[in-house]
Amino acid sequence: MSQDTRGLDITRITGSRASRERDVVVRESPLTIFLNDDPLVTLLCSPKDVEYLAAGFLFSEGIIKEKADIDRLFGDAREGAVWVQTRGKRRSQKDIISRRFITAGCGKGLSFVDSAKYSKKLKMTHGPKLSSGVIASLMKDFQQMSHTYRSTGGVHSAALADTGGIAVFNEDIGRHNAIDKVLGESLLKGIRTDAMILLTSGRISSDILVKAARARIPFVVSRSAPTDLSVKLSKDLGITIVGFARGSRMNVYSNSRRIALGP
Amino acid sequence: MSQDTRGLDITRITGSRASRERDVVVRESPLTIFLNDDPLVTLLCSPKDVEYLAAGFLFSEGIIKEKADIDRLFGDAREGAVWVQTRGKRRSQKDIISRRFITAGCGKGLSFVDSAKYSKKLKMTHGPKLSSGVIASLMKDFQQMSHTYRSTGGVHSAALADTGGIAVFNEDIGRHNAIDKVLGESLLKGIRTDAMILLTSGRISSDILVKAARARIPFVVSRSAPTDLSVKLSKDLGITIVGFARGSRMNVYSNSRRIALGP
């Protein structure tokens, strides 16, 4: 039993038969991020790698930009809390809340999206070429790494990879959290993301694309679907979206110049 | 082409072959809810039935409790805005934001959850018995109604049903939004929910359970998985959770006394 899952007794029904059985479900816990001693947000998440989640959340929200912005970071999954002290100018909690909530709410980063659409300087023209064979191979590895999903069917996975393989991998009950965990781990470990490929098990909505843009990631790959807004944004931002990546099949929605056919 | 989807040109790769093809993706738009003339939140959603979404969101957040709390409600999907005027004591926007954001953030309703756990009076002891055959039949209808999903693979569905069939159905790119849409439609149309079954295509996390509890819905059924926290809450709140409802198979996670075997 991993720390991500929990056993419990259920009634399993198959047609006209019912039996009492032991089953495994995914764990879900509240996690409060305290920023400079004030509670910033409470997320519902898988209670694992909570420091990565907190660092990635602050990065995705634009509250920190690099590891050097963090003075101290301490997390306790049992307590359901992560405490972060930042360096430099300390914005008040109220400023951050107003900015984030009013402009973006749970659809995080809309203000960023709006400015991004009209800002040429954010456009990514860099990024390696990537072959369809490498994408297929990475997605195969990605699926195999998702142990929790295979045991409970209840979590999303995210990873950062390069052509050599998967570098960072994590899972969470929330698809945003899973991505924040891999971004947070990269940030804390000093792993550069600007030539990486973001793999996700979830749909590619615009807020996922905003996370990739902040980390200067040129590729977002999913076995699921993108939205029209994320495709539009990806063209503005110079990010390549690959969706429905299943086996040797995949759809390239934008910036296909970066994708080469072949192994 | 429905108003939920949009056509665009993609590169489809199958093994070593690539072709330029027309594809359909699901639409995603920002929707700002203005409460008593102040912007409350911006959601990313499918731009359809935005009035239902706004009403359901306000209900799920505990800002309104019944239709009579709404003085006026007007939505414009093209403008990406819904304007709501409420009756009675008008809480300031700041009160609502502080309460919601600090205690709950994107994991909505934690404060409610915490109090619910310790409050016997919220426990639902009512609710009709439901047969496994009816659940299987409802889920079959539910899947067939999800046209957008079948064309794009990019949305979640939600429905309210009773033993006679599905009464309210909607879809959205967000699983929370899809549920808010059916709750909002029920509220605006005066459909009672306290003997209904909530069907969802998505995972049952604790925030989904809180929505059901607010609407006094005794059954939550999904073809996907619940979390441990939602199962725990469902026992405290007296809600029956059925997960992995696929064909004639299903798992009953809590309050199985309400489920009968048979057609």
Side-chain angles (χ1 to χ4, degrees), chain B residues 117-137:
Chain B
K117 279 196 284 191
Y118 302 104
S119 175
K120 287 269 198 299
K121 72 174 177 179
L122 280 170
K123 184 154 184 168
M124 280 178 253
T125 51
H126 71 290
K129 276 242 182 195
L130 193 59
S131 76
S132 56
V134 166
I135 293 174
S137 167

Side-chain angles (χ1 to χ4, degrees), chain B residues 145-222:
Chain B
M145 289 177 82
S146 187
H147 300 295
T148 307
Y149 179 79
R150 282 188 290 162
S151 66
T152 64
V155 296
H156 276 292
S157 314
L160 287 169
D162 57 24
T163 53
I166 289 175
V168 182
F169 175 89
N170 225 311
E171 297 173 304
D172 198 282
I173 55 159
R175 74 195 160 95
H176 298 93
N177 292 346
I179 291 172
D180 282 346
K181 281 181 178 177
V182 299
L183 295 181
E185 182 171 353
S186 305
L187 183 111
L188 293 178
K189 291 186 175 170
I191 298 168
R192 285 187 59 165
T193 54
D194 59 358
M196 286 279 191
I197 305 143
L198 176 64
L199 308 177
T200 170
S201 62
R203 291 168 298 112
I204 306 171
S205 48
S206 61
D207 39 8
I208 301 300
L209 211 79
V210 169
K211 290 179 192 291
R214 281 202 195 273
R216 308 290 294 158
I217 296 170
F219 296 99
V220 180
V221 179
S222 173

Side-chain angles (χ1 to χ4, degrees), chain A residues 6 11 13 15 26-28 40 42 93 100-102 104 106 110 173 203 206 227-228 248-250 252, chain B residues 11 13 15 26-28 40 42 93 100-102 104 106 110 173 203 206 227-228 248-250 252-253:
Chain A
R6 176 169 295 180
T11 304
I13 295 174
V26 70
R27 290 182 61 199
E28 176 189 11
L40 175 70
T42 299
Q93 179 207 11
R100 177 162 175 265
F101 195 85
I102 303 296
C106 281
L110 271 185
I173 55 159
R203 291 167 300 111
S206 61
T227 66
D228 73 328
S248 68
R249 300 172 69 102
M250 63 198 71
V252 186
Chain B
T11 303
I13 294 174
V26 70
R27 289 182 63 199
E28 176 189 12
L40 176 70
T42 298
Q93 178 207 10
R100 177 163 175 265
F101 196 85
I102 303 295
C106 280
L110 271 183
I173 55 159
R203 291 168 298 112
S206 61
T227 66
D228 73 328
S248 67
R249 301 170 68 100
M250 62 198 71
V252 186
Y253 290 88

